[in-house]
């Protein structure tokens, strides 16, 4: 499994967090189980391989970070979503931006361009070209305005 795949799984999990009443830890324990991956593998190829320990740590760090900083990340999305009401942004697009913004703010070892490029590539799989441009624009502006090297 590549880091890109681990990032995409993190986005799926950040999205799914919106629909659960479980704690983040209980949710991750359930979602990152071998049984869950086996069940999802038939539906989505990114679940064909179980993450190794390093990848599990990365996924957990991203999903827990997004959960812990959701209010902050959503405020940034709303701030830079010129002409769009937050409630009009799809949950998938929000999850993609939350993951990328968390990486930009709290994972300094990751190059900024990688975080944005990966978010855009994931968005291309799930969103229309208009939304992909929207995500890219928000993340680019967010990087210039908020992220300090």
């Amino acid at each position: 499994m590549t880091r890109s795949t681990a990032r995409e799984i993190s986005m799926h999990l950040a999205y799914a967090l919106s629909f659960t009443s479980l704690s983040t830890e209980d949710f991750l324990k359930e979602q990152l189980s071998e049984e869950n991956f086996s069940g999802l593998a038939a539906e989505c190829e990114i679940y064909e391989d179980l993450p190794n320990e390093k990848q599990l740590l990365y996924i957990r760090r991203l999903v827990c970070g997004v959960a812990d900083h959701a209010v902050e990340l959503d405020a940034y999305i709303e701030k830079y979503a010129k002409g769009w009401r937050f409630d009009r942004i799809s949950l998938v697009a929000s999850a993609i931006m939350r993951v990328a913004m968390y990486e930009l703010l709290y994972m300094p070892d990751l190059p900024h361009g990688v975080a944005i490029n990966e978010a855009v590539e994931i968005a291309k799989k799930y969103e229309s070209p208009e939304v992909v441009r929207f995500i890219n624009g928000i993340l680019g502006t967010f990087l210039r305005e908020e992220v300090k090297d």
Side-chain angles (χ1 to χ4, degrees), residues 12 29 40 54 61 65 71 76 82 89 92 104 107-108 114-115 121 128-129 143:
H12 284 196
K29 187 179 294 183
L40 292 171
K54 184 176 180 181
R61 180 177 177 195
V71 172
Y76 284 128
K82 305 286 188 224
I89 299 169
V92 171
L104 291 167
M107 299 177 83
V114 170
E121 291 304 312
S128 69
L143 175 63

Side-chain angles (χ1 to χ4, degrees), residues 39-50:
L40 292 171
E43 297 174 33
C44 187
E45 68 184 28
I46 66 171
Y47 293 97
E48 289 176 352
D49 297 322
L50 199 60

Side-chain angles (χ1 to χ4, degrees), residues 31-59:
Q31 295 299 309
L32 295 174
S33 69
E34 190 171 335
E35 298 79 26
N36 189 56
F37 268 69
S38 295
L40 292 171
E43 297 174 33
C44 187
E45 68 184 28
I46 66 171
Y47 293 97
E48 289 176 352
D49 297 322
L50 199 60
N52 64 32
E53 192 60 37
K54 184 176 180 181
Q55 294 157 342
L56 281 172
L57 288 171
Y58 178 74
I59 292 167

